[in-house]
Amino acid sequence: DADVTQTPRNRITKTGKRIMLECSQTKGHDRMYWYRQDPGLGLRLIYYSFDVKDINKGEISDGYSVSRQAQAKFSLSLESAIPNQTALYFCATSEGNEQFFGPGTRLTVL
Amino acid sequence: TQLLEQSPQFLSIQEGENLTVYCNSSSVFSSLQWYRQEPGEGPVLLVTVVTGGEVKKLKRLTFQFGDARKDSSLHITAAQPGDTGLYLCAGLSWGKLQFGAGTQVVVTP
């Protein structure tokens, strides 16, 4: 079984809809992250959490929110999706300096 | 603003050839990491370099960290089709990673 799982793996939605992407991990790590990946731009940090009571904005947090429901769960929400949020979204966990990534969610906003 | 610049953006070579990918920054990082990403998957860590001037080898892959800890290179010797992937460098600062845009490497048989 995968250590970091993301659901859904693919999602197509319309402008203005609320979307939630979910991430679960079985690695027992305290630190979790959400990134988006766009062609030619690499991965950019949206939000991160160093423990259950800690939430921090990353480089590109506008239009997104997160919830850390438990050590193992970190959800990303788009309150009102817009087309330029079309991207590949990755969740990651870390212990020390190595980050472990989930398989990604491909989100398309029409 | 991309703090880490990777070059080239795309590299296509034949099996058996050598290749080098570069990662440059104007910032100093406490450490620098290289990840490889394959289609449909998340990035996977290859190596972490910490000390200026450090060289690490992982089978046919050689990683160097610049003396000033601002730049790094990845050299692959005798590339194989299994080396195909997106190679990403990432600088660690205050517990967070800053990623470069990546270099897409394609090795054809």
Side-chain angles (χ1 to χ4, degrees):
Chain A
D1 289 340
D3 295 319
V4 183
T5 57
Q6 293 184 234
T7 56
R9 292 295 313 277
N10 289 282
R11 182 71 184 267
I12 300 174
T13 190
K14 294 182 178 180
T15 297
K17 293 292 186 180
R18 184 178 187 274
I19 295 296
M20 179 180 286
L21 308 184
E22 300 193 23
C23 176
S24 294
Q25 53 115 346
T26 58
K27 298 186 79 68
H29 293 167
D30 286 327
R31 299 186 175 195
M32 298 188 73
Y33 309 80
W34 274 104
Y35 295 89
R36 66 177 279 175
Q37 186 175 33
D38 299 274
L41 294 178
L43 283 87
R44 292 181 291 167
L45 184 63
I46 306 173
Y47 270 94
Y48 62 102
S49 169
F50 283 173
D51 64 45
V52 174
K53 296 179 180 179
D54 178 69
I55 299 289
N56 303 284
K57 292 182 178 181
E59 180 185 352
I60 52 163
S61 59
D62 287 349
Y64 302 95
S65 62
V66 291
S67 174
R68 185 79 185 267
Q69 300 95 323
Q71 185 198 45
K73 296 185 181 296
F74 193 34
S75 300
L76 176 72
S77 293
L78 288 68
E79 296 301 325
S80 180
I82 56 177
N84 76 1
Q85 291 178 312
T86 292
L88 191 52
Y89 289 84
F90 286 100
C91 172
T93 72
S94 73
E95 184 176 80
N97 293 330
E98 181 175 359
Q99 293 198 8
F100 299 86
F101 287 82
T105 294
R106 185 168 295 280
L107 177 67
T108 302
V109 183
L110 301 176
Chain B
T1 303
Q2 201 77 49
L3 294 181
L4 286 161
E5 298 287 340
Q6 286 190 241
S7 62
Q9 292 183 352
F10 182 81
L11 198 53
S12 180
I13 62 171
Q14 299 275 10
E15 183 176 1
E17 294 181 338
N18 302 331
L19 68 96
T20 303
V21 175
Y22 299 93
C23 176
N24 296 294
S25 173
S26 58
S27 302
V28 175
F29 293 100
S30 58
S31 65
L32 195 138
Q33 301 181 338
W34 284 92
Y35 288 79
R36 181 168 68 205
Q37 183 180 12
E38 299 187 15
E41 299 180 9
V44 175
L45 181 67
L46 295 174
V47 77
T48 300
V49 285
V50 179
T51 306
E54 183 176 3
V55 177
K56 281 192 173 179
K57 292 191 175 184
L58 186 66
K59 297 183 179 179
R60 294 174 294 99
L61 278 62
T62 302
F63 304 85
Q64 288 191 300
F65 200 16
D67 291 340
R69 295 179 17 238
K70 292 183 178 181
D71 57 273
S72 182
S73 65
L74 158 61
H75 181 80
I76 302 179
T77 303
Q80 299 177 0
D83 295 325
T84 293
L86 179 67
Y87 288 82
L88 296 157
C89 67
L92 183 67
S93 179
W94 298 100
K96 299 177 293 180
L97 289 176
Q98 296 268 4
F99 281 87
T103 294
Q104 180 65 50
V105 172
V106 176
V107 183
T108 54

